[in-house]
Structures are given as structure tokens and as C-alpha cells.
Amino acid sequence: MSLVTMTIAAEQRGTVPAERTAAKKWTRLARPALGLVLPVTLAVVWEFVVRMGWASGRLAPPPSVIFQEFVDLARSGDLQRNTLVTLGRVAAGFGCGVAVATIVGAAAGYSPVIRRLLDPSLQALRAIPSIAWVPLFVLWLGIFEASKITLIAVGVFFPVYLGVMGAIQSVDRKLVEVGRAFRLSDVQMVRRILLPAVLPAYVIALRSGLGLGWMFVAAAELLGASEGLGYLLLDGQELGKPAEIVAAIVAFAVVGKATDWLIAFAAAPFLRWEDVVRQE
Amino acid sequence: MLVLDRVSKTYPNAVQALGGVSVEVEPGEIVAVIGGSGCGKSTLLRAISGLDPASAGTVLLDGERISAPHQKIGIIFQEPRLLPWLKVAGNVGFGLGDRPKQERAARVATALKRVGLADQAAAWPRELSGGQAQRVAIARALVPRPEVLLLDEPFSALDAFTRTDLQAHLLDLWADAKPTLILVTHDVDEAIVLADRVMVMCPRPGRIFDEIAVDLPRPRDRQSAAFDFVKRRVLAALDRSLSRAVAPADGEAKASAGAALWW
Ligand SMILES: Nc1ncnc2c1ncn2[C@@H]1O[C@H](COP(=O)(O)OP(=O)(O)O)[C@@H](O)[C@H]1O
Ligand SMILES: [Mg+2]
């Protein structure tokens, strides 16, 4: 290959042909649809099996019964009220957990002294299954909101703390040096270099923290609550109403996924530069 | 004028990387620094930039002592070091954070046009080729109009064709405002094509071993006899700088002689 054709090839690398973007758009729509095939098929098959009388569907209600249960719960207002209560608990626990984890994680990532001081203790605490705290929290904080929110906050804390600390430690020092060469002040350094560098890992940490928050709210409510989606689970169990249990599970899944999506959506404009990498 | 006076650098691990470097560089002069790997070229450049100040001696720019990064000094590294979360235009304007938006946009546009990347202003750094990325880095360093531009092996990661292309381009850009250029390189051709003066360094501790003036008219013809003549002189100086480095100091000589006996 001559030098001239080499440079032409190099220049063409920068532009993306139109048909390739169109193809990308198509796969972007088709890919999620593919994921729906399995659950939808299973639901349809189960509905069919129950309708045909091959199974009673009493313990595993078919989709139509679950849907009817949803409608009933929504009509009575139970669904909305309990969802809001659970959402409120997750929000409070997530907020507290993230706030503390971000501050502690940032300090530990930034300063080796603080890291050596705090990290061993935190790692030791992390080894405790968080549910094991429940009796202590109940003794300290009572059986109402405070102990539930604390449990959720503890669950959220660890993934966020680890994510923030790791992200700050792995900021590319060569880029920090660029900031120094351009004489950025400490505040500018944080805003223009550290924050953007840390953001992708932070969003991932927030999302895994939120996932744990939902896990722990379910646990906390199952251990005793008079309202919330977890209460619906308990209620369904005690009254022998599997449709109510499944409806509550579905509500958990939908609201959990929606909050996760909300974080991803809010962060997307700041992470667009990362997409370029993924599409390659 | 840039004046280095007995600049020394000892790293915390007791490695003496620079042992008293004294140089004077005229405004607008292009100086190439060449030498074997580990002879302190990067250390010297970082001391001048103020990123990693000298442990003894002084760096003076127009009489002002440099001990921290300075607005009049720009630096380009071996890697482009673009910020991946800023588009090309944002990277080029990075050093203009304190300027009004309009002025920033205008200067960025001019600089991008000047490095031939006007159509890539909205591209992400990841979408650029190596040569394009290094051009953006050059534009970013030049936009604040430094009086001194330091370059640490800026083209050594590029393929041969892109490298010669960017060498010519750098001279072209230099002609706009004629900043002082200090270029670290391990490529003798590059040093002679660009520089008014080639400084050959030798290691342990890093010192200026020899200085060779390059009195050839620009643009320089790599094939000419005059070019070849200078190149031979630089290569000879490099050769001597390395062989002197191999000859160990007295204590070391005894130690290695002892080792020889043992074996
Ligand atoms: N940060 C550092 N800490 C300790 N020693 C270093 C550091 N940077 C460079 N050195 C040492 O200083 C000497 C000169 O290094 P450097 O300036 O990078 O050489 P060059 O750029 O000429 O290859 C080398 O022996 C190297 O090992
Ligand atoms: Mg070097």
C-alpha cells in the first residue's frame, strides 16, 4: 500500500456512512424486542394451559387473573398507596446511603490516610449480611420507619462507597496533570477533571446501590409493616391470595426498573462521550 | 528569554536525574533535546514546565522564576491526553476557561482551522486517529498563546508518514507567533529538520553533553549533503554520550571488577 492510500484510509475512518447509522437504529429497536420473546411466550402458554383446564392455576395464577388483581388493587387505591409508601422508604434510604457513601468514598479515594483509617473497618462491616442488622436496628430505632430506612441506607452505602472510592483512585493522573499544566484551581480541578472522570463509575455505583435499596426495602417490609408493597406480599401470603403476591412482585419489578431507568436517563446527557466507545 | 541555571533534580528515591543543566534559549528559538532513554530529558522538560520543579538551580522566563505551571508555558506530551468527555472544540478551548464565551469560540475555531480539523470540532476524541488527536493537543497548547512550548516526544507514537507530516505542520504553526520551542525527541532526523540547535544529553546524572547548531535554511531537505553532515555530527555526539555513560564511575568499576573475579 502506498503512503497516499494510507492517508486516505486514515481520513475516511473519521466519518460514519449513513446506512450504518440506519442499521444501528434498527438493531437498537430490535434488540429489546428479542428479550420479550421468552416471557411473553411463557405467559401466553400458561394462560392457555389454565384456560384449557389442564391446571387449576390456584397457586400460580395465569396472567389474566394477575391483571384483574392489579385492576382491583388500583381501583381501591391500595396499589398506589402502598407503592408510594415503599417508594418513599427507598428514596429516603437511598438518599441517606448515597450522601454518606459519596462523602466517605470520596474522602477515602482522595486521601490515603483516611483510606487506611476507615477502609478496613468498613470492609469488615461489609462482610456482615445486612439483614443481620435488623434486630439491632429494631432495638435501637423501633419497628417503624427509622429502622427500615436505616437498613436500606446500609444496603445502599457499600456499593456506592466502593464505587466512588475506586473511581477516584483510578482517575487518570495524566489527565490531572493536564489540569495542572493549565493551572486549574482546586475547585476547577474537581469540576473540570475529577467529576467528569468519575461520573461513569458513579452512575454504575448508584444503580447497583439502588438495586440493593429495593432488595432491602422488600426485606424490611416483609419483616413487619402495615403498609407498602412488602405488606401486600405478607397480606397475600396470610390470606392465601397468590395473585396479590404476584401483583406486588410485578409492582416491585416495574417501579424498581423505572427508578433505575430514571438514573440512567438523567445521567445519559453527561455520559454521551462514553457511548462512542461502546458503539465501536 | 528562557534561562536555566544549574538545574538539578533528585527524585525522592535518591535517583539524581539531572545534574546541573545550564542553558539559555532565545525567544523564538527551536531547541531539540536528544539523548538515550533515561538520561533526564523528560525530567528537564517537566522542570521547565513547573509541573515537577527542580530540586536545585533556577528556571527563569523573562526574569521570572518558574516553580509552578505558568501561563506563558505550554506543554505537549507524548500522548495527546485529550479529555474524553469534551468534544474536540472543548478540548482545544480547555485553557481558555477564564475568557468570554465569544472570544473562546472564535479562537478555538481559528486554531482548529489552522490545524486542519475545522470539520471535526464536534467529534469526540475517541473518533480521531492518532495524528488528528495529537493535532488537537497541539492546538490546545497553542490557543493560550504561550511564549514557550515544550514538547516531550510528541510524535514518537505516530507512524512515519504522519510524523513527517506533523513535523512540517508544527513548523508552519510555529511561524504564526514564533514561540520558543523545546522539543524532546529520540529521532535525530526530527531534531535536525526542526531545530536551530540540538542539545545532546548524557545520563547519570543528566547533563548537556554537546550542542550542535543547525544552520540550514528552512524548509530543510533531508536528502541534502548539508543535512547529512549535521546528522553525522549529532550521531557521533550521541555515540560518545552513550559510551561515556557506559564507562562506570570509580566505585562501580571496582565493584564490577570484583564481580568479575567472583564469577
Ligand atoms: N518520578 C520519578 N521518580 C523516580 N525516578 C524517576 C522518576 N521519573 C524519572 N525517574 C528517573 O530519572 C531518570 C531520568 O528519567 P527521564 O527524565 O524520564 O528520562 P528520559 O525522558 O530521558 O527517558 C531515569 O533514571 C528515571 O528512572
Ligand atoms: Mg521521556
Side-chain angles (χ1 to χ4, degrees):
Chain A
M1 202 175 14
S2 76
L3 288 176
V4 179
T5 50
M6 262 170 61
T7 45
I8 291 169
E11 257 147 40
Q12 281 172 347
R13 226 180 296 138
T15 56
V16 184
E19 69 253 43
R20 240 177 68 195
T21 29
K24 250 183 225 160
K25 214 173 257 172
W26 194 86
T27 46
R28 208 181 301 155
L29 292 175
R31 229 175 261 156
L34 198 63
L36 287 175
V37 170
L38 187 63
V40 168
T41 311
L42 280 179
V44 168
V45 166
W46 188 238
E47 182 76 40
F48 182 72
V49 166
V50 175
R51 288 273 165 107
M52 295 306 284
W54 296 339
S56 76
R58 200 173 51 79
L59 285 177
S64 61
V65 175
I66 295 165
F67 181 75
Q68 187 55 47
E69 179 69 30
F70 254 114
V71 172
D72 294 346
L73 282 173
R75 212 169 268 157
S76 67
D78 281 350
L79 183 66
Q80 295 87 323
R81 190 168 45 81
N82 288 308
T83 304
L84 276 180
V85 167
T86 299
L87 205 57
R89 285 173 183 148
V90 172
F94 182 71
C96 297
V98 165
V100 178
T102 303
I103 293 167
V104 178
Y110 193 74
S111 145
V113 177
I114 296 182
R115 182 163 61 248
R116 266 176 232 126
L117 186 75
L118 291 181
D119 197 51
S121 309
L122 289 173
Q123 295 293 349
L125 288 177
R126 194 166 76 97
I128 302 167
S130 302
I131 306 289
W133 289 109
V134 167
L136 208 53
F137 288 164
V138 169
L139 275 184
W140 286 345
L141 303 165
I143 57 167
F144 298 111
E145 295 307 300
S147 59
K148 292 188 179 63
I149 288 170
T150 308
L151 180 68
I152 297 164
V154 168
V156 171
F157 175 86
F158 286 104
V160 177
Y161 161 76
L162 289 176
V164 171
M165 182 173 73
I168 289 188
Q169 276 180 279
S170 60
V171 170
D172 188 350
R173 290 168 66 179
K174 291 183 167 176
L175 296 185
V176 174
E177 203 166 74
V178 170
R180 288 220 296 129
F182 282 106
R183 296 171 304 121
L184 298 190
S185 67
D186 286 350
V187 176
Q188 287 173 324
M189 188 72 96
V190 168
R191 196 172 57 79
R192 299 181 65 187
I193 308 263
L194 294 182
L195 276 186
V198 158
L199 196 63
Y202 189 54
V203 172
I204 292 173
L206 287 183
R207 290 173 71 176
S208 49
L210 185 66
L212 280 182
W214 280 102
M215 201 164 111
F216 284 104
V217 80
E221 291 180 347
L222 272 178
L223 290 168
S226 54
E227 46 183 2
L229 288 174
Y231 164 75
L232 286 186
L233 294 174
L234 274 181
D235 192 55
Q237 183 199 340
E238 275 160 19
L239 302 180
K241 294 198 293 188
E244 187 175 323
I245 298 178
V246 178
I249 288 174
V250 172
F252 262 125
V254 169
V255 186
K257 185 67 200 167
T259 51
D260 179 64
W261 181 82
L262 209 65
I263 294 182
F265 180 77
F270 304 102
L271 297 180
R272 215 168 287 144
W273 58 275
E274 267 213 327
D275 288 344
V276 183
V277 191
R278 237 173 281 138
Q279 279 171 17
E280 287 290 310
Chain B
M1 190 159 82
L2 180 70
V3 182
L4 308 196
D5 183 20
R6 285 162 291 169
V7 169
S8 301
K9 177 78 186 181
T10 306
Y11 281 108
N13 62 0
V15 171
Q16 194 185 4
L18 289 179
V21 172
S22 300
V23 197
E24 293 188 2
V25 186
E26 299 293 332
E29 199 180 352
I30 305 181
V31 174
V33 179
I34 201 163
S37 146
C39 69
K41 305 183 295 294
S42 296
T43 305
L44 179 66
L45 218 58
R46 295 173 63 83
I48 300 173
S49 73
L51 280 172
D52 215 349
S55 38
T58 51
V59 178
L60 294 176
L61 176 59
D62 304 333
E64 193 182 340
R65 194 174 163 161
I66 306 294
S67 56
H70 193 281
Q71 160 199 2
K72 288 184 183 170
I73 303 179
I75 185 163
I76 294 172
F77 304 94
Q78 183 174 347
E79 332 77 38
R81 298 199 187 181
L82 303 182
L83 304 176
W85 51 84
L86 295 179
K87 295 195 172 171
V88 165
N91 269 288
V92 172
F94 189 76
L96 298 177
D98 49 345
R99 300 303 170 88
K101 209 170 173 179
Q102 259 174 348
E103 183 195 340
R104 215 180 335 158
R107 281 170 69 172
V108 166
T110 318
L112 274 175
K113 210 178 291 164
R114 205 62 193 83
V115 295
L117 290 173
D119 53 339
Q120 302 278 8
W124 296 108
R126 294 274 186 173
E127 298 171 301
L128 303 177
S129 67
Q132 289 174 324
Q134 198 59 305
R135 277 172 204 240
V136 174
I138 294 174
R140 176 176 67 183
L142 284 175
V143 152
R145 299 183 187 135
E147 275 179 33
V148 177
L149 185 61
L150 310 170
L151 304 102
D152 193 353
E153 308 196 13
F155 308 136
S156 61
L158 304 174
D159 62 87
F161 186 82
T162 313
R163 193 184 313 161
T164 40
D165 188 35
L166 278 194
Q167 286 161 0
H169 198 71
L170 178 68
L171 271 185
D172 200 28
L173 293 170
W174 168 79
D176 287 350
K178 293 212 167 62
T180 305
L181 293 192
I182 301 186
L183 169 85
V184 166
T185 178
H186 57 237
D187 178 346
V188 177
D189 276 31
E190 180 171 288
I192 302 170
V193 164
L194 296 175
D196 298 308
R197 186 155 45 126
V198 177
M199 300 200 307
V200 179
M201 285 184 72
C202 63
R204 256 158 290 162
R207 286 149 297 155
I208 307 277
F209 178 77
D210 202 355
E211 261 188 43
I212 293 133
V214 188
D215 266 331
L216 304 175
R218 292 193 176 95
R220 290 173 182 161
D221 176 4
R222 288 166 206 249
Q223 257 69 52
S224 71
F227 189 97
D228 204 49
F229 178 73
V230 179
K231 187 171 169 179
R232 273 165 209 273
R233 282 190 58 197
V234 174
L235 283 173
L238 255 173
D239 231 24
R240 276 180 291 129
S241 81
L242 293 175
S243 51
R244 182 181 287 187
V246 169
D250 271 351
E252 257 179 85
K254 280 193 196 107
S256 56
L261 282 179
W262 269 101
W263 293 105

